[in-house]
Amino acid sequence: DAGITQSPRHKVTETGTPVTLRCHQTENHRYMYWYRQDPGHGLRLIHYSYGVKDTDKGEVSDGYSVSRSKTEDFLLTLESATSSQTSVYFCAITSGLRGTDTQYFGPGTRLTVL
Amino acid sequence: GQQLNQSPQSMFIQEGEDVSMNCTSSSIFNTWLWYKQDPGEGPVLLIALYKAGELTSNGRLTAQFGITRKDSFLNISASIPSDVGIYFCAGQGGATNKLIFGTGTLLAVQP
């Protein structure tokens, strides 16, 4: 258990509405990540953060933004949700001080966009 | 985006059988990781490999980092019903150092 919680765990929303998912960690990890998981695609990186206010894009960042105003929270925002963003979203952290250290995952958020 | 080729996609076996799955890539990785995911949960790390040729065990699980650094395999010996789940490989390294995941192997174990 890497001390990661995600909220909400489940959400149903309508196309065009804004959605924010929260990842919270209690162990002062520097690196945090957001992935989405879809059948046939495994896990794909959306955005990641290497420190407070330091973020960068992953391979599927279009339609998503992130913010990290304090070490323990990494927020993922869908400004205007679309049906293609229906997915399971996972937050992850690395246990060490380097971005190359092993990643540990949160329990996930299942998002349905109608 | 880049993905790893993971095989097989699914396996249906009897309790007590051994299982083998593997991942291959066209890119070289510095780290190979194997995760297991249960329904409704996040992936849980099983084994991490950091050197080419490295062979590491975790209970009934054994994984190896291929010599070419482009592949890895995971073996599960004497499978039990709680081994059911989806197993993912992941490689890290290259220009971005980001983690790249395989598409997963679904394992079903018949008691």
Side-chain angles (χ1 to χ4, degrees):
Chain A
D1 183 357
I4 308 170
T5 56
Q6 292 184 232
S7 59
R9 292 295 312 277
H10 301 272
K11 186 170 182 66
V12 180
T13 191
E14 293 187 349
T15 298
T17 60
V19 176
T20 296
L21 308 183
R22 179 183 183 231
C23 178
H24 180 75
Q25 52 120 341
T26 58
E27 300 181 7
N28 212 33
H29 298 294
R30 178 182 173 191
Y31 287 84
M32 299 182 75
Y33 306 81
W34 275 108
Y35 290 87
R36 61 178 289 174
Q37 185 175 35
D38 305 290
H41 289 278
L43 288 109
R44 293 179 292 175
L45 182 65
I46 305 171
H47 281 280
Y48 68 100
S49 169
Y50 45 96
V52 173
K53 296 186 180 175
D54 292 323
T55 64
D56 204 352
K57 295 179 180 180
E59 65 173 304
V60 290
S61 59
D62 287 348
Y64 301 95
S65 62
V66 289
S67 64
R68 192 160 177 209
S69 58
K70 44 186 179 176
T71 300
E72 57 266 36
D73 288 324
F74 191 31
L75 305 180
L76 177 71
T77 297
L78 291 65
E79 300 290 349
S80 178
T82 67
S83 58
S84 65
Q85 293 176 310
T86 292
S87 187
V88 182
Y89 292 86
F90 288 99
C91 175
I93 57 90
T94 48
S95 59
L97 297 178
R98 303 172 304 173
T100 53
D101 288 325
T102 302
Q103 292 186 21
Y104 296 87
F105 289 81
T109 294
R110 183 172 294 276
L111 176 67
T112 302
V113 183
L114 301 176
Chain B
Q2 184 183 4
Q3 280 189 322
L4 300 178
N5 297 313
Q6 186 171 348
S7 64
Q9 280 190 317
S10 60
M11 302 181 74
F12 299 88
I13 62 171
Q14 296 286 327
E15 182 176 0
E17 289 184 24
D18 296 343
V19 170
S20 184
M21 59 191 79
N22 69 84
C23 270
T24 59
S25 170
S26 57
S27 304
I28 290 174
F29 289 111
N30 298 322
T31 302
W32 281 95
L33 306 169
W34 284 93
Y35 290 86
K36 182 192 177 207
Q37 186 176 27
D38 293 327
E41 306 283 336
V44 174
L45 182 68
L46 299 174
I47 293 179
L49 303 158
Y50 300 106
K51 285 172 26 177
E54 180 180 356
L55 185 71
T56 298
S57 293
N58 178 7
R60 294 177 295 105
L61 278 61
T62 301
Q64 184 159 30
F65 192 141
I67 290 291
T68 65
R69 295 168 60 195
K70 293 182 178 181
D71 62 333
S72 177
F73 73 76
L74 174 71
N75 286 343
I76 305 173
S77 62
S79 59
I80 59 178
S82 63
D83 290 334
V84 166
I86 303 177
Y87 291 79
F88 290 98
C89 63
Q92 190 169 40
T96 64
N97 249 338
K98 295 186 178 65
L99 205 56
I100 307 296
F101 282 85
T103 50
T105 294
L106 172 65
L107 178 63
V109 180
Q110 178 83 19

